[in-house]
Amino acid sequence: MRVVTLLPSATEIVYALGVEPVGVSHECDYPPAAREVPSVNRSRVDPEASSSEINEQVADAESGDGVYAIDREALASVDPDVIVTQGVCDVCAVDHVLVEDAVAQLDLDADVATLDVHSLADLFESIRRVGAAIDREAAATDLVAGLRERVAAVESTVERATDTPSVAVLDWLDPVMVAGHWVPEMVEKAGGTYGMEEAGAHSRPREWEEVRAYDPDVLVAAPCGFDIEQTRENLADVTGRPGFDDLRAVREGRAYVMDGHHYVNRSGPRLVDTLEYLAAVMHPDLFDAPPRDAVQELPALRA
C-alpha cells in the first residue's frame, strides 16, 4: 500500500498504524522518520516570518494562487494508492479540492481520503477511516481504544478538582485569534471552562479587548505552526498589548506557552497528549507537569 499524507496529523496517524508513507507534506516532521520522506507539496508562505508577516502573506496567497502548491511531478513519481488530505482549513494544509484536481489531471489511480476533524470524536473516526483505507483496521481499533482510555483517565482524575478555571487558548498572536475546533472540548474535558469560543467552531480573529474582558484564569499562547522557540520570538505581539500584565492569568502566574505546531493545532493522535498537558496546567496538583519542550510558564520566557 503506497500512501501519501498531505498534512502532519495524517502522517502521524499512518505511522501509528504501522505504515510508512511514500510521500508527505513539507511540514511533516513527526515521527522523525517522516523528515526523510519525499515532500510532494510546497508552501507560498515563509514559516519563519513574524506573526503579522505570515498573516499578510496568507492573505496575499489566498487572493492569488492559494497557500499551497502540489509538486505534481513528485506526486506522480511516488504513484500513490491512497492520498490523505484535509478539509478543515486551507491555510493549515493542502485542501482536498486541490488534491482531487491533481489526481484527475495526472490520471492517478489513487483514492483520496479527506479528514475533517473538529472534535476528539472526529479524530477517532478519522483514525478508523484511514485504517480502513490503508488496510489497517485492527491497528486503528487498538489505537482508538488506547486513546479513549487516556481521555477517560483524565476525566476521572479531574473529578477530584476543587476548581474549574476559565481558559483562553490563543492560536495566533497578530492578529489575536482564539482557538476553536477541538480546543474548547478538550479544555472542558481537562476540567476548565472555555467562554470565548464554541466547541467545533473555526478559530477566528478577536479584538484584544475581548480577551481582556474575559480575563481568563489560565492563558495559553499556542500559535498555529509555531514551536516554543518561534513563539518566544513573537511573544511581544501579545505581551506588549495594553493591559496584558493586568490579566488575572498573568498576575497569578498561570500564563503559558505551548508548542502549537506539534500539539494544539495538529489533529492527530497527540491531541490526547495535549489534553493531558492542558489538564496539568489547569490542575497542577492532580497531574504531572508537562515536558518543557511542550509547555513553559510565561515568566520563564519573559525573563
Side-chain angles (χ1 to χ4, degrees):
M1 180 71 67
R2 298 177 64 79
V3 182
V4 165
T5 53
L6 289 175
L7 67 160
S9 58
T11 298
E12 294 191 26
I13 291 171
V14 168
Y15 270 104
L17 297 180
V19 173
E20 181 174 336
V22 297
V24 297
S25 82
H26 68 291
E27 289 186 311
C28 294
D29 56 7
Y30 187 88
R35 298 171 184 166
E36 307 302 320
V37 180
S39 173
V40 298
N41 81 308
R42 62 182 178 84
S43 173
R44 296 186 174 95
V45 172
D46 177 10
E48 301 301 322
S50 69
S51 296
S52 60
E53 290 170 342
I54 290 175
N55 189 65
E56 292 176 3
Q57 290 177 29
V58 166
D60 290 343
E62 287 184 313
S63 64
D65 294 328
V67 176
Y68 298 100
I70 293 178
D71 185 334
R72 301 194 175 196
E73 182 177 346
L75 182 61
S77 70
V78 299
D79 190 24
D81 300 305
V82 175
I83 303 171
V84 187
T85 185
Q86 60 88 41
V88 176
C89 172
D90 57 8
V91 174
C92 300
V94 180
D95 182 79
H96 67 101
V97 174
L98 190 63
V99 176
E100 290 165 355
D101 287 346
V103 168
Q105 292 185 18
L106 293 170
D107 196 26
L108 296 176
D109 184 18
D111 294 325
V112 178
T114 301
L115 307 185
D116 194 8
V117 176
H118 299 275
S119 67
L120 289 176
D122 290 345
L123 167 63
F124 300 148
E125 179 59 26
S126 291
I127 292 172
R128 293 191 186 96
R129 289 185 58 235
V130 172
I134 65 175
D135 296 331
R136 290 294 188 275
E137 291 95 335
T141 297
D142 290 344
L143 177 57
V144 169
L147 295 173
R148 285 190 179 277
E149 287 180 6
R150 290 169 59 194
V151 172
V154 169
E155 292 178 305
S156 177
T157 301
V158 160
E159 291 178 358
R160 305 201 307 269
T162 58
D163 66 335
T164 308
S166 60
V167 180
V169 178
L170 308 181
D171 73 355
W172 202 247
L173 305 181
D174 188 11
V176 168
M177 296 183 69
V178 173
H181 301 294
W182 46 83
V183 172
E185 174 194 8
M186 292 202 303
V187 166
E188 292 177 2
K189 286 183 179 296
T193 60
Y194 201 78
M196 292 198 69
E197 193 54 89
E198 297 293 328
H202 286 271
S203 303
R204 59 192 175 97
R206 305 296 285 266
E207 295 295 331
W208 175 244
E209 288 305 316
E210 293 180 77
V211 179
R212 290 185 65 183
Y214 181 54
D215 196 17
D217 297 311
V218 177
L219 177 67
V220 179
C224 184
F226 283 15
D227 60 14
I228 293 288
E229 181 179 355
Q230 193 169 6
T231 302
R232 181 201 298 265
E233 294 171 356
N234 289 271
L235 203 56
D237 288 339
V238 66
T239 62
R241 293 179 181 272
F244 177 83
D245 289 332
D246 297 326
L247 292 175
R248 181 184 297 109
V250 177
R251 295 197 319 268
E252 298 181 1
R254 304 187 73 185
Y256 302 87
V257 170
M258 188 176 288
D259 183 337
H261 176 58
H262 281 283
Y263 296 102
V264 181
N265 316 114
R266 185 177 296 197
S267 55
R270 288 191 294 168
L271 272 188
V272 177
D273 294 33
T274 309
L275 172 67
E276 294 166 343
Y277 300 160
L278 287 170
V281 300
M282 285 187 273
H283 303 289
D285 56 325
L286 298 178
F287 295 89
D288 292 335
R292 282 187 57 77
D293 62 352
V295 182
Q296 293 182 12
E297 293 183 6
L298 190 60
L301 292 178
R302 301 182 73 198

